[in-house]
């Protein structure tokens, strides 16, 4: 199965490639038939219902540190704290459902926002950590994409004893070993490097945490992946940087939220809560608590 991280980002890459060929955003896109849901229960709830009942439900990815994960039986992570900010602003309790990733972003949005999973069926009010791309957004009419709160980017972690002077760039991996999460966007990029020059030095691991552990144990000289995931697992003797990545169509992207298209007032309220938390520094403080670099999106 394609990993969640590849699925999300390959969707973005495809939409970016399309937008370069088209004359206008989504110019040739034919609107979809309006979705038919089995019942209101599977569609979700509007803002008034959420406030009347006193809680809001969030879908967040499982086993995805530092963004969302379980620790001591409780949901933790940057995305979880952002969900709590949203709930506090709406005056309700935050409830989290840590979900398994599907094959791609469209599958996840169908399962957790506008239709419901084939097993269980219930959707969440808000899905966290959804990559935003304008061309992709206009092709998924059942979802409102907003609440952008962070710009993620691909980075390289490395052993300081292996690179005492110049931090590594992708061309170094013609000779040096580099760890990646299997089937991730970094794996895809390095494997596609012109001429296949790097493939024999790429070491693949089940997760980014495993890749960083291999780096710490000197099994590789470097590791490549999303900056926050690298920073979350930095140990003594390791460093990280964000070099230019030639030919990388999606070296950075914006993370936000997704809400069912039928509940615009809810989407606006969530967007306002995130915007206020960016302005007053609460979201930046969350990143600082987890030891991560924060890159805010352009404020409206």
């Amino acid at each position: 199965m394609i990993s969640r991280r590849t699925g999300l980002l390959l969707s973005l890459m495809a939409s970016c490639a399309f937008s370069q060929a088209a004359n206008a955003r989504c110019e040739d896109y034919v609107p979809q038939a309006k979705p038919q849901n089995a019942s209101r229960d599977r569609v979700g709830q509007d803002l008034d219902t959420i406030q009347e009942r006193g809680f809001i439900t969030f879908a967040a990815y499982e086993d995805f540190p530092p963004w969302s994960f379980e620790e001591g039986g409780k949901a933790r992570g940057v995305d979880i704290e952002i969900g709590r900010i949203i709930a506090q602003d709406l005056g309700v309790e935050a409830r989290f459902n840590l979900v398994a990733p599907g094959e791609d972003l469209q599958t996840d949005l169908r399962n957790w926002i506008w239709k419901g999973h084939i097993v269980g069926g219930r959707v969440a009010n808000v899905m966290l950590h959804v990559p935003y791309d304008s061309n992709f957004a206009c092709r998924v009419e059942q979802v409102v994409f907003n609440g952008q709160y962070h710009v993620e980017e691909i980075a390289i972690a490395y052993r300081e004893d292996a690179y005492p002077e110049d931090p590594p760039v992708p061309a170094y991996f013609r000779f040096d070993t580099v760890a990646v999460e299997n089937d991730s966007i970094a794996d895809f990029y390095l494997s596609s490097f012109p001429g296949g020059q790097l493939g024999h030095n790429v070491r693949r691991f089940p997760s980014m945490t495993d890749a960083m552990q291999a780096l710490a144990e000197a099994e590789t000289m470097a590791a490549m992946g999303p900056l926050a995931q690298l920073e979350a697992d930095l140990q003594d003797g390791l460093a990280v940087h964000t070099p230019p990545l030639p030919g990388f169509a999606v070296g950075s992207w914006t993370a936000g939220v997704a809400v069912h298209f039928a509940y615009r007032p809810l989407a606006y309220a969530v967007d306002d809560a995130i915007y206020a938390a960016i302005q007053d520094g609460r979201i930046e403080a969350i990143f600082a608590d987890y030891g991560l670099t924060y890159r805010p999106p352009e404020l409206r």
Side-chain angles (χ1 to χ4, degrees):
M1 178 182 291
I2 300 173
S3 78
R4 184 190 66 80
R5 290 137 182 103
T6 297
L8 296 180
L9 296 175
L10 289 186
S11 296
L12 293 178
M13 290 179 68
S15 64
C16 286
F18 172 84
S19 66
Q20 292 172 358
N23 292 325
R25 176 177 176 265
C26 300
E27 184 180 50
D28 70 345
Y29 177 65
V30 178
Q32 307 167 46
K34 295 300 180 186
Q36 299 298 314
N37 290 279
S39 70
R40 177 176 174 80
D41 216 21
R42 294 182 62 170
V43 174
Q45 295 82 27
D46 60 22
L47 179 59
D48 288 342
T49 300
I50 289 168
Q51 291 181 318
E52 287 170 5
R53 74 184 183 186
F55 67 89
I56 183 171
T57 59
F58 295 94
Y61 289 110
E62 64 181 11
D63 300 326
F64 188 29
W67 301 106
S68 47
F69 55 95
E70 186 174 302
E71 186 175 80
K74 296 183 178 181
R76 291 201 60 218
V78 172
D79 290 338
I80 303 304
E81 297 305 321
I82 290 173
R84 292 191 174 112
I85 283 176
I86 294 169
Q88 183 179 33
D89 196 78
L90 298 183
V92 297
E93 174 193 353
R95 296 186 181 180
F96 298 96
N97 183 18
L98 298 183
V99 303
E103 287 193 350
D104 55 31
L105 181 55
Q106 292 200 45
T107 299
D108 293 338
L109 293 170
R110 182 179 67 245
N111 286 345
W112 307 115
I113 290 296
W114 67 266
K115 186 175 183 181
H117 199 281
I118 191 171
V119 178
R122 289 183 180 274
V123 298
N125 301 126
V126 178
M127 187 164 190
L128 298 162
H129 211 93
V130 176
Y132 177 77
D133 176 81
S134 61
N135 284 283
F136 177 77
C138 73
R139 288 168 168 73
V140 186
E141 299 175 334
Q142 304 93 336
V143 175
V144 176
F145 299 87
N146 63 347
Q148 298 172 38
Y149 52 83
H150 175 62
V151 178
E152 297 190 69
E153 59 185 326
I154 296 295
I156 296 175
Y158 58 95
R159 295 189 60 84
E160 293 177 311
D161 57 5
Y163 302 98
E165 297 180 1
D166 298 320
V169 297
Y172 284 32
F173 305 137
R174 289 178 295 173
F175 310 103
D176 301 342
T177 52
V178 57
V180 298
E181 180 183 0
N182 189 44
D183 282 336
S184 66
I185 194 67
D187 185 6
F188 180 86
Y189 171 71
L190 293 175
S191 301
S192 303
F193 209 78
Q197 303 172 58
L198 314 182
H200 64 289
N201 279 326
V202 177
R203 306 289 184 265
R204 297 172 176 86
F205 295 87
S207 70
M208 202 66 245
T209 296
D210 292 327
M212 287 295 289
Q213 186 60 38
L215 175 62
E217 295 174 359
E219 292 181 34
T220 66
M221 299 169 68
M224 186 172 179
L227 176 60
Q229 290 179 266
L230 301 183
E231 289 182 324
D233 288 310
L234 281 179
Q235 299 184 32
D236 290 343
L238 305 182
V240 64
H241 76 135
T242 53
L245 300 173
F248 206 165
V250 193
S252 66
W253 62 97
T254 304
V257 304
V259 178
H260 193 285
F261 79 104
Y263 302 117
R264 296 279 178 169
L266 173 61
Y268 297 148
V270 170
D271 196 47
D272 287 343
I274 290 174
Y275 178 64
I278 291 173
Q279 284 196 312
D280 65 20
R282 281 177 290 163
I283 288 182
E284 184 174 9
I286 292 170
F287 278 77
D289 287 343
Y290 280 86
L292 307 176
T293 300
Y294 178 53
R295 286 184 58 195
E298 290 186 10
L299 297 178
R300 60 192 178 190

